[in-house]
């Protein structure tokens, strides 16, 4: 193994007298058994009707057992929250079972319907899971963003429950993920002393023993980012051997051998260990030391890694400083305590029945009765009971109710883009709806000034872990007042969209974690939504509700060229679970739909939203907003339902129906006027959310009561069949489902190629979405 250099070493720490290691070891052995039995029951004990392997990760679980036992049975408090690496979920369930937090009927249900999930799931598992993991790297960084979110809450709402440490248990292979280092490098992270990461350094990935883990480089990267770096490499038993004559030679030999050689030695017979250590030669003192050790004793000693020394782990966790984040590198053996220990292909290997029986014997349990817990009169049972009481959490109390208005009531007279309209809405919110505004927190990756957030930031300030002096406060020419303080409501991150949506997910989960409802809104350039999609989607899966604003969008941002012109995002938004996708065209639509989306965030029955906005100013007169209050309210309701008809004639008289979205509505309306001059009656439908219209289409056949929105039938009444021309500044297949609304013939116009720098008219011509293309498509469908 590679020689180690680190900021601080806990290898020689002494065990605190309060730690009963014998009891902890017995619990660890039972947890090892239970985690293996959970996987075994799901595979060998459950009939497979589809012939598909259930799977599980007994070896990956085994390497984490001692680390997790040291935490749950000694270190954690009821305020701490822990993210557990995906493949160690059976260990988490085993511990929760021993602590009385999981009914035994769930133990055989891993990866079964209604049972334990394949990876820890905050919303779907029946026991306590603090963070959903499974997407490698993202679950680990979630603790970082949760810590920042809790800091934000405490600085704004004094009644926020106390927060403890945010702990991530991650595999060493997760450190290959770029999301890890994007998060670690954020400057604000160095101030988050409640962060504790523990790396299970078993030096194996899914396919292999990793040949060169450059531990010094990893330690240096964390240290350079301001983290405390601790390493538990060797256990106390082998450390004592290292102090004997020849011990330094033994340590040097073990640390200089490649990872593969060390792992192979773990698989060798005890009679071979001495020869393997001396294969490259050895001093007389080393040879004498090895002769003094019995073969079985030496076999145990070379496995004495720090990540399996319970007393050393406890001492290491006790030595963590509170003023900066900490990472602990814990050396472990993948599959520790199992017959597959150290095998290069043990990642998904399952123990046989005979191997399970052997493990049962060592664990003082039985394969016939695998779920035996400790008796209350035993030391282990007493510790489980005491820790259960210590870790019991107070119920989460809900935030006092507040109202998000349905509209702000300001007139919309001048041409304005939807991006600018949202900036104006947020700037007006503190005056018009102060209770709702207090719960809004905006985020951006260094694009606040270019996404019209200036007015909001000037009124609310920028949030910082601590107040910072504003050296430009006396600059009269400054337009954007960048005042950083603990009560600001805008959080600015670096140019890393993955970080942005990671924070967004955790800000969106505060209502269920700590009972404080926030309305988190993130802004990024729409072309980069796909870059951030996977972590944002995972945040939604984990229960985070938020609003993601992608702006500017499409080829309408003509001069910027192809790199900044989004094409697939409308379809992405339509397909994203747990989210409603919006693309309003007019200021009035933006206000109605965005306030509605705000109202849906941070609730038990809530949902996230994605807004695709534009920098193209559009005349609000084109929206033909009714003045009659009843008709106005009808328009608002249709807008938040997904769309409305702009044409005032009876739909039954349509020769063709033009369907537009977002920034393309001026061309759609102009095309309708051109067609009218040729005697063709063109109906016009403006969609604010193709997503909701598609859901209405899908729900038609749903027989469950209370389902099935009617907006698609309002927009495309069955008695008024007409061919359809759809147009949007995105991929045309997004609206292709509309042909099924009534069985109409359809032409879908949109963007299917990378853009290029041009003016707006040229961009529309290049991609066939301008007025002329719409007219031509309509004429073709009507046979004119």
């Amino acid at each position: 193994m590679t020689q180690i250099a680190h900021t601080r070493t806990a290898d020689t720490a002494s065990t605190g007298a309060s730690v009963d290691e014998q009891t902890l070891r017995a619990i660890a052995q039972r947890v090892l058994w239970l985690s293996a039995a959970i996987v075994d029951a799901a595979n060998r004990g459950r009939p497979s009707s589809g012939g598909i392997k259930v799977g599980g990760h007994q070896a990956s679980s085994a390497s984490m057992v001692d680390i997790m036992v040291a935490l749950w049975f000694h270190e954690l408090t009821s305020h701490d929250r822990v993210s557990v690496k995906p493949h160690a979920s059976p260990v988490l369930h085993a511990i929760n079972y021993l602590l009385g937090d999981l009914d035994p009927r769930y133990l055989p249900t891993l990866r079964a319907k209604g049972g334990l999930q394949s990876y820890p799931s905050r919303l779907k598992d029946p026991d306590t899971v603090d963070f959903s993991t499974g997407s490698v790297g993202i679950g680990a960084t979630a603790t970082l963003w949760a810590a920042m979110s809790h800091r934000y809450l405490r600085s704004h709402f004094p009644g926020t429950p106390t927060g403890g440490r945010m702990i991530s248990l991650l595999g060493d292979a997760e450190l290959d993920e770029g999301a890890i280092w994007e998060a670690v490098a954020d400057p604000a992270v160095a101030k988050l002393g409640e962060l504790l990461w523990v790396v299970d350094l078993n030096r194996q990935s899914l396919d292999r023993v990793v040949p060169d883990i450059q531990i010094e480089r990893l330690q240096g990267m964390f240290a350079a980012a301001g983290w405390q770096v601790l390493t538990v490499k060797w256990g106390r038993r082998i450390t004592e051997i290292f102090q004997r004559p020849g011990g330094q030679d033994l340590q040097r030999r073990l640390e200089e051998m490649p990872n593969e050689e060390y792992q192979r030695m773990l698989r060798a017979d005890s009679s071979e260990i001495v020869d393997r250590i001396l294969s490259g030669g050895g001093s007389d003192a080393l040879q004498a030391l090895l002769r003094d050790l019995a073969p079985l004793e030496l076999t145990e000693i070379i496995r004495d890694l720090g990540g399996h020394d319970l007393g050393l782990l406890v001492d290491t966790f006790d030595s963590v400083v509170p003023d900066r984040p900490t990472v602990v590198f814990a050396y472990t053996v993948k599959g520790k305590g199992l017959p597959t220990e150290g095998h290069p292909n043990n990642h998904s290997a399952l123990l046989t029945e005979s191997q399970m029986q052997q493990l049962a014997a060592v664990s003082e349990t039985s394969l016939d009765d695998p779920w035996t817990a400790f008796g209350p009169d035993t030391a282990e049972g007493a510790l489980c009971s005491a820790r259960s009481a210590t870790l019991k959490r107070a119920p989460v109390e809900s935030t006092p109710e507040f109202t998000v208005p349905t509209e702000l009531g300001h007139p919309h007279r001048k041409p304005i883009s939807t991006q600018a309209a949202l900036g104006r809405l947020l700037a007006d919110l503190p005056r018009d709806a102060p209770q709702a505004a207090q719960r809004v927190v905006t985020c951006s990756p260094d694009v606040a000034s270019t996404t019209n957030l200036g007015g909001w930031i000037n009124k609310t300030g920028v949030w910082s872990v601590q107040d910072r002096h504003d050296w430009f406060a006396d600059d009269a020419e400054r337009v954007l007042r960048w005042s950083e303080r603990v009560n600001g409501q805008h959080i600015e991150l670096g140019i890393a969209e993955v970080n942005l949506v990671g924070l967004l997910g955790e800000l969106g989960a505060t209502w269920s974690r700590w009972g404080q409802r926030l309305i988190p809104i993130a802004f990024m350039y729409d072309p980069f939504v796909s870059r951030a999609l996977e972590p944002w989607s995972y945040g939604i899966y984990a229960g985070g509700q938020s609003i993601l604003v992608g702006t500017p969008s499409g080829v309408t941002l003509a001069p910027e060229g192809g790199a900044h012109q989004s094409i697939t995002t409308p379809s992405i938004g339509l397909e994203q679970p747990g989210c409603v996708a919006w693309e309003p065209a007019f200021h009035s639509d933006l206000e109605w739909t965005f306030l509605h989306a705000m109202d849906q965030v941070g609730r038990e029955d809530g949902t996230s939203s994605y807004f695709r906005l534009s920098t193209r100013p559009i005349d609000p007169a084109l929206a033909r907003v009714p003045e009659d209050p009843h008709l106005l309210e009808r328009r608002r309701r249709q807008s938040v339902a997904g769309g409305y008809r702009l044409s005032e004639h009876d739909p039954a008289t349509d020769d063709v129906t033009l369907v537009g979205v977002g920034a393309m509505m001026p061309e759609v309306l102009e095309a309708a006027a051109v067609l009218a001059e040729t005697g063709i009656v063109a109906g016009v439908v403006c969609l604010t959310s193709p997503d909701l219209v598609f859901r209405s289409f899908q729900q038609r056949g749903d027989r469950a009561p209370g389902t099935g929105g009617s907006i698609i039938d309002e927009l495309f009444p069955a008695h008024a069949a007409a061919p359809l021309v759809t147009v949007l500044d995105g991929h045309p297949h997004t609206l292709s489902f509309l042909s099924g609304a009534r069985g109409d013939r359809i032409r879908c116009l949109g963007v299917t190629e990378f853009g290029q720098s041009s003016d707006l008219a040229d961009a529309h011509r290049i991609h066939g979405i301008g007025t002329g293309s719409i007219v031509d498509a309509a004429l073709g469908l009507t046979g004119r």
Side-chain angles (χ1 to χ4, degrees), residues 158 280 293 408 414 430 552 682 704 743:
L293 297 171
L408 299 186
K414 296 181 179 180

Side-chain angles (χ1 to χ4, degrees), residues 532-604:
L533 180 65
E534 197 265 340
W536 187 53
S537 177
Y538 214 81
I540 295 174
Y541 169 79
Q545 299 171 11
S546 58
I547 300 175
L548 180 62
V549 179
T551 183
S553 65
V555 298
T556 299
L557 190 65
E560 288 284 352
H564 280 65
Q565 294 175 351
S566 51
I567 295 172
T568 61
T569 48
S571 179
I572 288 174
L574 187 149
E575 296 163 4
Q576 174 59 45
C579 166
V580 177
W582 304 90
E583 190 169 353
F586 303 106
H587 190 167
S588 54
D589 294 341
L590 181 282
E591 178 177 309
W592 291 330
T593 58
F594 201 85
L595 290 171
H596 173 77
M598 287 173 56
D599 190 49
Q600 303 305 302
V601 171
R603 301 171 13 169
E604 190 71 40

Side-chain angles (χ1 to χ4, degrees), residues 358-396:
Q358 294 171 16
L359 181 61
V362 173
S363 306
E364 299 182 353
T365 185
S366 166
L367 194 56
D368 297 326
D369 186 16
W371 316 125
T372 303
F374 296 110
D377 55 343
T378 64
E380 296 81 7
L383 181 56
C384 289
S385 178
R387 292 300 295 164
S388 176
T390 298
L391 297 175
K392 186 176 179 60
R393 298 175 181 178
V396 175

